[in-house]
């Protein structure tokens, strides 16, 4: 019963201050008055007329009421990066869209993650679409991020059954996944403060960033130290690099390492086919970045080589990443020489095939 109905019954039974009582208090008062004898009721309220019909129980009234209407769901999907490696996606599908999708042959509910870094107009980079099958009754999912420091958009839809095809339902907004490595940009500028004098401290105008130091060969020395124990003969980029630095004459070899007579043709192109001559080239390589931070006053070394620290104690070294095994023992020693911290990083690279050459070494070939 409503509060108004209960107040009406309480007024008929002579309950005092019924307008100030809560619903539970009115139910308790009415129940206690119903249990009293009739003469007490007449004495308490001589002018009140007690209804002859017993009011229906509250539970039966609530059971007869229809359920409260629920708001109609709208189809939508939200993409929220959690960290550089995982993202949280939640969605909602309206009953009309779900019924229309099943009528069109929907089979599996899927999420499509697209890399849209630097693009506009809803387009995505080719070969960067990742499709994840999710439970048909699920409304949320955790997705592994393919690559950090990129912009992504998620599409919600159904994969059709035997005939194949795709039924798109909704797109999320574009969200940026944070980078996994520390940022190289330092935007905070702190005002110097002192308690020794009452005069305000002048804030110096930030000077232009210093020019990058000249290459002292530290990166190459670090690489040579890391790979000196694990040098091996290979036909990858490391072997070609050593061939170049050894001063050997490789003019009789083409880019694949074979002689100019290996194809059965001479320089004149005579071989029973129409002679064609063209130069071609390709360059591809990889580098390794070792970065970190320690106390700004500490002394840092990598493989026995001293590495300079920035003002905030961070360091970043970019070294060659050629074929073979590389070990980088990193050690930080406190200014007083008492405390030490160390870590050893090991990397390995192989190049199964290398048929490349720079543009300045491209020669005209008959083919």
């Amino acid at each position: 019963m409503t509060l108004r109905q209960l107040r009406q019954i309480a007024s008929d039974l002579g309950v005092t201050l019924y307008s100030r009582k809560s619903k539970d208090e009115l139910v308790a008062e009415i129940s206690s008055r119903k249990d009293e004898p009739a003469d007490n009721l007449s004495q308490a309220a001589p002018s009140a007329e007690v209804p002859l019909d017993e009011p229906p129980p509250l539970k039966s009234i609530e059971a007869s009421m229809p359920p409260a209407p629920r708001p109609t769901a709208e189809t939508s999907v939200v993409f929220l990066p959690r960290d550089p490696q995982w993202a949280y996606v939640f969605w909602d599908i309206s009953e009309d869209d779900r019924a229309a999708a099943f009528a069109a042959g929907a089979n599996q509910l899927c999420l499509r993650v697209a890399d849209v870094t630097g693009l506009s107009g809803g387009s995505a980079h080719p070969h960067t679409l990742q499709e994840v099958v999710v439970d048909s009754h699920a409304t949320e999912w955790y997705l592994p991020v393919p690559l950090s420091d990129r912009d992504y958009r998620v599409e919600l839809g159904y994969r059709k059954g035997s005939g194949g095809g795709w039924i798109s339902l909704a797109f999320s907004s574009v969200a940026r996944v944070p980078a996994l490595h520390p940022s190289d940009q330092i935007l905070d500028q702190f005002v110097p403060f002192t308690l020794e004098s009452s005069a305000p401290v002048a804030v110096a105008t930030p000077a232009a960033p210093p020019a990058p130091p000249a290459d002292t060969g530290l990166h190459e020395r670090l690489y040579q130290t890391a790979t000196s124990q694990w040098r091996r003969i290979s036909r990858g980029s490391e072997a070609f690099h050593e061939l170049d630095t050894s001063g050997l004459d490789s003019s009789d070899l083409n880019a694949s390492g074979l002689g100019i007579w290996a194809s059965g043709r001479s320089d004149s192109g005579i071989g029973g086919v129409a002679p064609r001559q063209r130069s071609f080239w390709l360059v591809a390589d990889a580098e390794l970045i070792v970065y970190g931070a320690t106390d700004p006053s500490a002394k840092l070394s990598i493989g026995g080589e001293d590495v300079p620290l920035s003002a905030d104690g961070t360091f970043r070294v970019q070294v060659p990443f050629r074929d073979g095994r590389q070990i980088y023992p990193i050690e930080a020693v406190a200014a007083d020489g008492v405390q030490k911290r160390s870590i050893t990083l090991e990397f390995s690279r192989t190049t199964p095939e290398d048929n490349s050459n720079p543009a300045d070494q491209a020669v005209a070939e008959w083919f």
Side-chain angles (χ1 to χ4, degrees):
M1 302 180 69
T2 64
L3 184 61
R4 183 175 181 180
Q5 293 173 336
L6 292 175
R7 286 177 177 174
Q8 181 64 39
I9 296 177
S11 175
D12 296 339
L13 295 177
V15 177
T16 59
L17 302 177
Y18 62 87
S19 60
R20 299 183 182 179
K21 298 182 182 295
S22 63
K23 190 172 182 179
D24 295 337
E25 293 174 345
L26 288 175
V27 171
E29 287 287 345
I30 293 173
S31 300
S32 61
R33 293 301 178 96
K34 291 292 185 181
D35 296 337
E36 293 180 0
D39 53 351
N40 294 339
L41 292 175
S42 61
Q43 293 177 3
S47 60
E49 296 181 0
V50 180
L52 299 178
D53 298 333
E54 185 73 17
L58 298 181
K59 291 184 178 181
S60 62
I61 296 177
E62 294 177 354
S64 62
M65 293 181 178
R70 300 183 62 181
T72 303
E74 296 183 358
T75 304
S76 62
V77 58
V78 179
F79 174 71
L80 297 176
R82 192 193 70 170
D83 53 43
Q85 297 177 330
W86 289 93
Y88 175 66
V89 181
F90 64 93
W91 62 87
D92 201 355
I93 305 176
S94 66
E95 294 300 330
D96 295 340
D97 291 342
R98 191 186 299 272
F102 280 110
N107 185 22
Q108 290 179 331
L109 183 63
C110 301
L111 298 174
R112 285 185 170 181
V113 185
D115 188 343
V116 294
T117 306
L119 301 180
S120 60
S123 58
H125 289 283
H127 311 297
T128 58
L129 188 65
Q130 185 179 16
E131 186 174 298
V132 179
V133 179
V134 299
D135 188 86
S136 59
H137 301 286
T139 58
E140 58 183 5
W141 209 264
Y142 279 99
L143 293 177
V145 177
L147 188 64
S148 62
D149 199 17
R150 307 285 292 179
D151 294 332
Y152 291 97
R153 182 186 66 234
V154 173
E155 180 183 5
L156 176 67
Y158 280 100
R159 169 68 64 183
K160 290 186 178 180
S162 58
W166 174 257
I167 302 175
S168 179
L169 296 179
F171 288 90
S172 71
S173 301
V174 177
R176 182 78 174 185
V177 174
L180 186 60
H181 54 79
S183 174
D184 296 333
Q185 299 180 0
I186 303 176
L187 303 180
D188 296 331
Q189 296 182 0
F190 297 94
V191 178
F193 177 76
T194 179
L195 296 176
E196 296 179 357
S197 61
S198 59
V201 180
V203 179
T205 303
D215 187 6
T216 59
L218 173 62
H219 298 172
E220 183 65 27
R221 293 200 306 272
L222 287 177
Y223 171 77
Q224 296 297 335
T225 303
T227 58
S228 60
Q229 307 178 54
W230 313 104
R231 221 41 95 71
R232 71 173 186 265
I233 300 177
S234 63
R235 299 312 302 169
S237 61
E238 175 66 14
F240 283 103
H241 175 76
E242 293 179 355
L243 185 64
D244 294 338
T245 57
S246 62
L248 298 178
D249 185 12
S250 59
S251 59
D252 292 337
L253 301 178
N254 57 19
S256 62
L258 300 177
I260 58 177
W261 303 98
S263 62
R265 299 174 182 175
S266 62
D267 288 336
S268 62
I270 299 175
V273 294
R276 289 191 298 171
Q277 190 177 20
R278 182 173 62 195
S279 60
F280 198 57
W281 60 279
L282 169 67
V283 175
D285 210 337
E287 293 182 340
L288 183 65
I289 299 177
V290 180
Y291 64 91
T294 183
D295 189 273
S297 61
K299 179 181 179 181
L300 183 77
S301 64
I302 301 180
E305 292 283 347
D306 293 337
V307 176
L309 298 174
S310 60
D312 57 353
T314 59
F315 63 92
R316 185 175 184 273
V317 180
Q318 190 168 350
V319 296
F321 192 26
R322 307 188 185 106
D323 280 6
R325 186 180 179 189
Q326 305 179 26
I327 297 181
Y328 293 92
I330 305 173
E331 184 182 46
V333 183
D336 55 4
V338 177
Q339 293 175 298
K340 295 182 179 180
R341 295 292 185 271
S342 62
I343 182 175
T344 301
L345 305 179
E346 179 178 343
F347 307 94
S348 178
R349 171 186 161 179
T350 58
T351 305
E353 179 185 359
D354 192 340
N355 186 20
S356 61
N357 60 299
D360 57 355
Q361 297 181 9
V363 296
E365 298 176 352
W366 294 96
F367 62 96

